[in-house]
Structure formats: C-alpha cells, structure tokens
Amino acid sequence: MTAIPRTASLLWALRSYCASHTCKPCYFTWLDQQRVDKTPGLLSHFSPNDLPTEQVMDFARTLPGSAVRRVFLAGGEPLMWRPILGLIEILKRGGLEVVVCTSGVALNQPGMAQRLVELDVDGFSVSLDSTDPDYNDTWRPPRKDGDGWEGVVSGIKTLLAARVTEPRPRVGLYTVITKLNLPDILGVPQLAADLGCDYAVPQPVALPEGHSLYDTLVLTDTELPVLEEQFDRLYTAGLPLQLPPRTYPGQVASAVHHLTGVVEGCFGGDTLYFAEPDGSLWDCPSSLKMAATPTETHLTIKGADAAELFGKPSGCGSDCTLFSVDCVNMWPLMDFDRVLDTTTSGSPA
C-alpha cells in the first residue's frame, strides 16, 4: 500500500470559549455581532456545540494516517483547555509537527513551558499587538489581572528560558495591524528580536463590513503610504528574525486596496484546511469561501477518519476569485517549512 504524501496543514480552532482575553477584533464573534451576522462558518465565543474531548482525541489519533503533516492549534486560547497536553502528546506521538497559536499567558503556569518543551512542540505563535502595553491591553483586554502585556512578555521569556539553548520550539510574535498601530509593523518585530524570538508576522486586521469596529480599525487606501513605509523599514532593518517572504507586504497592500480579487493556484483545500470547535471542516479558511460552500458539501471531523478527509487534495489548488484579507493572513502559515528550519535564520526570502 502506497503511503499518503504528508503535504497538508490543518488549522484547528479547538474551543469556542477563550479563558485568556476578550480581544475586541477577534476572528471569533462576540454576542452582539452574532445577533446581526449569520454567515456560514462564523466562529462564536458562545457556541454550545464544541466537540466533546473524547471525540477531539479520537480524531487526532487518525491524523497520522492522513496527508496532514502539520497542525496549528488555535482557539479560544488552546493552552487554557485542560486536555491540551494530552492532545499535543497524541499528535507528536503520531509524528506530526505542532505549532501552538497562543496569547502566551498560560506559559507562566508552573511547569507548563517546560512540559511543552519536553513534548517537542515545534513552534509557538504568540499574539502581541504593540510595544505599548496600554494599546495592547485596550484591544486585547485580559480576563485576569497580570495577564495583559506584561504577562504575555513574561510567558515568552519563560518559554525561551525553558528551551535553554535548543533551537526548538521556534517562538514568534504575531501582531494585528490596524489604523491605530502602524508603527508596530516594525516595533513588535524589534521587540521580538530583543527577547530572542525566532520569527515575527505583522498581519492586517480582518473584520467584516458592518462590524462595529470596522471603520475604527480596518486599513484603507489612506493608510497605504504609511503601511508601505513601515514594511520597508522592517525589511531593511536587518533583524535576526524570520519574516514573511518579501512578497508579503505587497499582498497586504493589495488586500487593503482590493476587497476581493483572484488568487492563482490557491493553496486552500489543497494544502491548508480549517477545523472549527464544533467539528466543521472547511477546505479553505477564508470566510468568503466558507460562505460560498454549498451546504451539501459541508464536512465534519466528528466521528471521521482523517485519512478519508485528507487522503488527497479536495479543494482549490487552482485559481480562486475570492481573494481577501483572510488569504493574506493565511499565507504566512504556508511559510512554516522555512520558519521551522533551524538551519536558517534572520532573512525573508
């Protein structure tokens, strides 16, 4: 029997509720937004339909027999879900690469960072939106005192100390860029370098039209000159970090200028899939693609075998007319072969 080539990545939002922060521009919706937006694939912090733990674990055990090689664990904050270490152990035992997308504050829990290093987690993408603690904590309000900006930075330091001199896990900062924090395109990667992190990704905020914060935060053509200037400064700063490829700033600018467009040879449904907390599986993480997916083709990981779901490319791999800022925010995930490569450092391709 021929082995299935392991070429796919799975972005897996594990739980709806986030015990960490109440981030205002989160891609999960809050209750007031749910009342007006019924878009298919809409993620909610208040979903009562998250898969039971055992069903999550059962599906995870099938992933080694599939085309999935890398799993990005997201949420609701994944490291505050009690069974998370057991799930990571299953995935790593199955030979998968694991990247945890986290707020970082759970890394301060006694023994947590050390245990994650022992489990051989491959990467941690930590969310931090500014070098200014007040700005960060205004838009990412922590649920508990001490879990704001200072708690995030402390968690990063704890993780880096736990890995000692080993090259893995790779640690990086993800920053949501809005109209209000354009200087952090350079500022947060500088902070990442100062802390000893390995990569940084400034990504544009993604909010649907009609969202209460759309006009306040979403980038427009007015911001393009400053955005492009800040990206130029970032890519010429010579920081000892992995950054997205040099094509990335142009992709960001294109998404700001054109709300939709064409993507040639899209990776969605070919090498990147998205699973929701209720088990819904999409062959592309784009909200536009989810909304355009016929109901009769909706899939689920509930009770499923990953080899059947990911046995061969099932979606795009071809031109797609639904380009949006969602696409731009997914492209850095496709760069993780380079991010996780410990033999290279510092310069974008």
Side-chain angles (χ1 to χ4, degrees):
M1 181 176 178
T2 305
I4 298 173
R6 301 179 77 170
T7 58
S9 294
L10 173 64
L11 175 60
W12 193 354
L14 290 170
R15 313 312 286 169
S16 296
Y17 179 71
C18 183
S20 176
H21 290 68
T22 57
C23 305
K24 296 177 183 179
C26 184
Y27 66 101
F28 279 72
T29 60
W30 299 104
L31 194 58
D32 58 343
Q33 187 66 23
Q34 287 173 238
R35 293 192 178 105
V36 297
D37 192 339
K38 303 298 182 183
T39 304
L42 185 73
L43 289 164
S44 166
H45 277 301
F46 301 96
S47 172
N49 301 316
D50 288 9
L51 288 184
T53 297
E54 193 51 45
Q55 290 184 12
V56 172
M57 301 301 184
D58 286 346
F59 177 72
R61 293 185 184 97
T62 72
L63 281 166
S66 74
V68 174
R69 174 166 65 102
R70 181 176 299 138
V71 180
F72 295 90
L73 297 177
E77 171 54 47
L79 293 182
M80 288 186 174
W81 183 46
R82 289 185 179 181
I84 188 62
L85 296 180
L87 174 61
I88 292 173
E89 186 171 9
I90 289 172
L91 296 174
K92 291 303 302 182
R93 193 188 309 132
L96 285 96
E97 292 182 346
V98 174
V99 179
V100 178
C101 308
T102 176
S103 71
V105 295
L107 297 167
N108 293 305
Q109 296 176 7
M112 173 65 85
Q114 183 61 45
R115 181 62 182 135
L116 290 165
V117 170
E118 291 171 354
L119 285 171
D120 200 27
V121 175
D122 298 274
F124 290 86
S125 295
V126 183
S127 297
L128 192 71
D129 283 352
S130 183
T131 58
D132 177 1
D134 288 339
Y135 175 91
N136 184 82
D137 295 352
T138 295
W139 296 101
R140 289 186 179 274
R143 291 190 180 273
K144 188 173 70 173
D145 289 346
D147 283 355
W149 191 94
E150 297 288 350
V152 176
V153 171
S154 173
I156 294 167
K157 291 179 178 178
T158 300
L159 178 60
L160 291 171
R163 81 175 184 184
V164 196
T165 59
E166 295 299 315
R168 286 199 183 188
R170 308 296 270 178
V171 181
L173 297 188
Y174 263 68
T175 302
V176 175
I177 300 300
T178 74
K179 290 178 179 179
L180 306 179
N181 69 333
L182 287 166
D184 284 304
I185 290 174
L186 173 60
V188 173
Q190 285 181 322
L191 174 62
D194 292 341
L195 290 170
C197 295
D198 307 292
Y199 61 96
V201 179
Q203 59 179 25
V205 66
L207 295 174
E209 288 188 86
H211 191 286
S212 60
L213 295 174
Y214 187 89
D215 291 338
T216 302
L217 298 181
V218 172
L219 297 161
T220 68
D221 283 353
T222 302
E223 288 76 46
L224 278 179
V226 178
L227 181 142
E228 291 169 345
E229 176 192 1
Q230 290 296 323
F231 269 117
D232 286 343
R233 293 182 62 197
L234 172 61
Y235 279 80
T236 58
L239 299 177
L241 294 168
Q242 291 281 6
L243 300 173
R246 290 184 183 272
T247 54
Y248 178 71
Q251 293 165 343
V252 174
S254 181
V256 170
H257 184 63
H258 304 285
L259 293 181
T260 60
V262 176
V263 179
E264 296 181 358
C266 180
F267 50 75
D270 183 64
T271 51
L272 180 63
Y273 298 80
F274 177 52
E276 292 190 33
D278 68 356
S280 297
L281 180 70
W282 306 90
D283 64 7
C284 177
S286 163
S287 59
L288 295 181
K289 186 66 185 295
M290 291 180 197
T293 301
T295 303
E296 61 270 19
T297 65
H298 288 185
L299 299 174
T300 180
I301 66 174
K302 182 178 180 178
D305 187 315
E308 297 176 1
L309 293 175
F310 308 110
K312 59 182 179 179
S314 61
C316 300
S318 59
D319 297 348
C320 179
T321 61
L322 298 175
F323 168 77
S324 72
V325 70
D326 285 350
C327 307
V328 174
N329 289 337
M330 292 303 110
W331 270 316
L333 298 183
M334 306 314 297
D335 190 44
F336 263 73
D337 281 350
R338 187 169 60 90
V339 171
L340 298 181
D341 183 357
T342 59
T343 65
T344 61
S345 63
S347 58

